[in-house]
Amino acid sequence: MSTTRTKNTREEAEKVRLATDVTPLTLKEAVRRSERPTRKRLIFSPEENLVKTSKKSRRTKTVHTNTLKKSKVEKQEDSDIENSDVECASDVNGGLSAYELERLENIRQNQAFLSAINLYQATETLRESTRPKPSQRGLMSRSKAAPKDVLPSRKSLRLQNKEAEIPPSLQDLRASLPDEETLRFSKKPPGPLPVVPLNVEEGSRLPSELIELCAQGSDWGDDGVLLFEPHSRAVGCMAFSNANPVHLLSLSYDGSVRCMDVEKAVFEDVYDMNDDAKTFDFMTHDCMTLVVGSWSGLVAIVDRRTPGNSQESLHILDPKCVRCVSVHPVQKHYFAAAENRVVSIYDSRCLKKTQNKAVSQLHGHSLSISSAYFSPWTGNSVLTSCMDDKIRLYDTSVMTADTPLLTSISHNMHTGRWLSKLSAVWDPKQEDSFVVGSMARPRTVQVFHESGKLQHSFRDNKHLTTVLSITAFHPTRNALLGGNASGRLHVFSD
């Protein structure tokens, strides 16, 4: 009887397995799980089981460690269950319990739902995609190495002395732009220009005597100041003619030199060069002949009496730059040129177009030279200002190949890129004093003796608050003029 019941029970289990397509549980598992106190599960919910399955898939496999005693007990239980007959199990459980049958049905429904949404296939695809690929060690065989595209090497057109190719669109744009000369600057028209102030009403007349106007103030213009524009770019150098005080010559970076004639009320066109002009000085006592230096190392000899605005001769001195020229006050054929890091003295009677040799040179400068001036009366010394924070005086009483150094004075010459460079200039009324602006605070202008001793400092804590890069003494009066980079002038007098 018991054998028949057991057989029937097995047949029922086999039928359930075939109907649900689920691997049946062994009797061993059924007995072991039936003995464990398990909470009865609720009816199948697809959403709940899907969440549980997802959580289960993200969990990390853990290894359950049990004590040796518990393992032996479980092994003994398994052995007893295997050796016992089916009747014992039938007597205790009556075959598969209702709970086990309900559990099998839940498993079947869960697997049917997971199969319907292709979760098994998606899990296997994800596992295959995340599986690390075996690393390649050693050298890759040449047969397996992927061929690389070899691109042609780039060559500089500049090194090949070739012009860069310009796209057609840029060529059309370039053709519509003005030429290079127009882009660089628009010069004033050649010839004389009328002396018309820019800061007065149109049609206003100039004062009859402009010299007296400058000496006393006036109700003309802004606080007695008249603004003129004879050049198209900034003015780099100015000087009154010693022979005729009504002539004021000015040099601009646009390459032009003009003379303001107050009596004629015109700006005469003295000289015009294609290169950027930097400095000039008078080579004759009547101030009719000039030496003009440019940024590119050229010097031009200009005669104001010659018709037109061209030079008498043009010479190449230093291939880099000529920052300052100064003519000897007695021997007018000598002039000093502040070049890159050396001051050279040339004889204008021996100048050539190229490869000119200096009569004497002033060495010892480690950086660029801002200015170099002969002493005003005898020319026995030259005063230089250098960016190595030194003001130097050289002995030029005798023209030798290497001019000896007399004095070296430490002075901060670094004004920055937006301010004009400091330059020490002589007092024209005496041979042994010079003036220079200062970077010290409070702002000041300093006067030194040729020996290097500080003689006087001009200060004004209320009005003088900027660096005065440009300084000049009055030729006859005890007055000093200082100008800053924004165009403000300060006058000190007794």
Side-chain angles (χ1 to χ4, degrees):
M1 182 70 179
S2 61
T3 304
T4 305
R5 290 178 56 190
T6 303
K7 183 175 181 181
N8 294 335
T9 303
R10 290 180 178 177
E11 290 178 356
E12 292 177 0
E14 183 67 19
K15 290 179 181 181
V16 172
R17 184 187 68 81
L18 294 177
T20 61
D21 195 21
V22 178
T23 304
L25 296 174
T26 61
L27 182 61
K28 170 185 170 183
E29 293 176 346
V31 174
R32 288 182 59 187
R33 294 181 181 179
S34 63
E35 292 177 354
R36 296 176 184 174
T38 307
R39 189 180 301 173
K40 187 172 182 180
R41 300 186 180 182
L42 300 177
I43 302 176
F44 167 73
S45 174
E47 292 81 1
E48 180 182 358
N49 284 277
L50 180 59
V51 174
K52 290 182 180 180
T53 306
S54 301
K55 290 183 179 179
K56 185 176 181 181
S57 63
R58 290 196 302 267
R59 291 175 183 171
T60 306
K61 293 181 180 181
T62 58
V63 179
H64 300 280
T65 57
N66 298 319
T67 60
L68 180 62
K69 182 177 180 180
K70 186 175 181 180
S71 300
K72 291 182 179 181
V73 171
E74 290 179 356
K75 289 181 180 180
Q76 184 65 31
E77 290 178 355
D78 293 340
S79 177
D80 295 340
I81 292 174
E82 291 177 357
N83 296 330
S84 62
D85 56 1
V86 181
E87 184 178 3
C88 180
S90 301
D91 294 338
V92 176
N93 299 291
L96 292 177
S97 64
Y99 167 74
E100 291 295 337
L101 294 176
E102 182 180 359
R103 179 174 177 274
L104 291 176
E105 180 63 21
N106 290 339
I107 291 175
R108 186 192 67 78
Q109 294 180 4
N110 289 342
Q111 290 184 348
F113 174 74
L114 295 178
S115 299
I117 63 175
N118 296 326
L119 182 62
Y120 292 125
Q121 292 83 346
T123 304
E124 186 64 23
T125 303
L126 180 62
R127 186 182 295 112
E128 290 294 334
S129 62
T130 57
R131 183 176 299 171
K133 297 181 180 181
S135 60
Q136 175 68 30
R137 295 185 178 182
L139 297 176
M140 184 182 295
S141 61
R142 295 187 177 182
S143 58
K144 295 182 179 181
K148 297 182 178 180
D149 297 335
V150 179
L151 299 177
S153 58
R154 300 181 59 184
K155 296 183 179 180
S156 173
L157 295 177
R158 178 179 60 84
L159 297 179
Q160 301 179 58
N161 296 325
K162 296 181 179 179
E163 295 184 358
E165 297 180 358
I166 303 177
S169 58
L170 293 182
Q171 290 180 358
D172 298 339
L173 178 62
R174 187 174 183 180
S176 62
L177 295 176
D179 55 6
E180 182 179 356
E181 188 71 14
T182 306
L183 284 176
R184 189 179 179 189
F185 49 78
S186 298
K187 285 187 176 182
K188 298 291 183 178
L193 298 176
V195 178
V196 179
L198 300 179
N199 59 338
V200 296
E201 295 181 1
E202 187 177 357
S204 299
R205 297 177 57 187
L206 285 176
S208 58
E209 296 183 11
L210 190 58
I211 298 296
E212 296 181 3
L213 171 66
C214 297
Q216 42 182 314
S218 173
D219 55 356
W220 285 81
D222 300 333
D223 297 329
V225 177
L226 299 179
L227 177 62
F228 303 97
E229 194 178 65
H231 305 280
S232 61
R233 294 182 64 186
V235 176
C237 187
M238 297 176 62
F240 278 101
S241 171
N242 295 328
N244 194 347
V246 298
H247 289 177
L248 174 62
L249 279 79
S250 59
L251 175 146
S252 173
Y253 291 155
D254 62 7
S256 64
V257 179
R258 289 185 177 271
C259 176
M260 178 181 180
D261 192 333
V262 179
E263 294 179 342
K264 298 180 180 179
V266 294
F267 288 98
E268 296 178 349
D269 194 358
V270 176
Y271 178 59
D272 191 4
M273 64 188 312
N274 295 328
D275 203 351
D276 294 337
K278 177 63 173 68
T279 179
F280 78 92
D281 198 4
F282 300 111
M283 297 193 71
T284 56
H285 294 285
D286 60 0
C287 298
M288 298 303 292
T289 304
L290 312 176
V291 54
V292 182
S294 70
W295 284 104
S296 60
L298 299 176
V299 291
I301 307 300
V302 180
D303 192 344
R304 295 171 54 191
R305 295 164 295 190
T306 303
N309 58 2
S310 60
Q311 72 274 352
E312 297 296 320
S313 59
L314 189 64
H315 313 276
I316 298 177
L317 299 185
D318 189 287
K320 294 184 179 179
C321 181
V322 174
R323 295 184 175 88
C324 181
V325 292
S326 176
V327 178
H328 197 284
V330 179
Q331 305 178 62
K332 293 291 188 177
H333 52 276
Y334 289 130
F335 68 92
E339 298 171 342
N340 186 24
R341 295 188 180 184
V342 65
V343 176
S344 300
I345 299 177
Y346 295 93
D347 189 344
S348 61
R349 302 170 299 182
C350 304
L351 288 179
K352 302 177 182 179
K353 290 185 178 181
T354 58
Q355 298 179 355
N356 290 281
K357 293 183 179 181
V359 176
S360 179
Q361 287 189 325
L362 285 60
H363 296 283
H365 307 86
S366 58
L367 293 177
S368 60
I369 303 170
S370 303
S371 61
Y373 298 106
F374 278 106
S375 56
W377 287 3
T378 63
N380 290 337
S381 58
V382 171
L383 176 66
T384 67
S385 303
C386 184
M387 292 302 297
D388 60 4
D389 294 337
K390 294 288 184 180
I391 298 175
R392 298 176 174 88
L393 286 95
Y394 291 84
D395 183 7
T396 55
S397 57
V398 180
M399 294 298 176
T400 58
D402 292 328
T403 304
L405 177 66
L406 293 176
T407 308
S408 179
I409 305 170
S410 298
H411 193 78
N412 185 5
M413 308 296 288
H414 287 76
T415 58
R417 62 178 300 183
W418 303 113
L419 300 183
S420 301
K421 305 301 180 184
L422 299 180
S423 296
V425 296
W426 292 101
D427 183 354
K429 300 182 296 295
Q430 50 190 348
E431 185 80 4
D432 58 354
S433 298
F434 61 89
V435 63
V436 63
S438 175
M439 297 296 297
R441 292 180 180 273
R443 298 308 186 192
T444 181
V445 179
Q446 298 174 329
V447 179
F448 289 91
H449 188 262
E450 63 178 358
S451 62
K453 182 180 179 180
L454 179 63
Q455 291 183 324
H456 187 71
S457 295
F458 293 93
R459 293 190 180 94
D460 189 337
N461 296 334
K462 183 179 180 180
H463 299 94
L464 180 56
T465 58
T466 57
V467 177
L468 301 184
S469 301
I470 306 300
T471 55
F473 276 107
H474 194 278
T476 59
R477 298 174 54 184
N478 292 328
L480 174 67
L481 178 69
N484 63 8
S486 61
R488 174 170 293 185
L489 301 178
H490 296 263
V491 180
F492 304 90
S493 62
D494 52 7

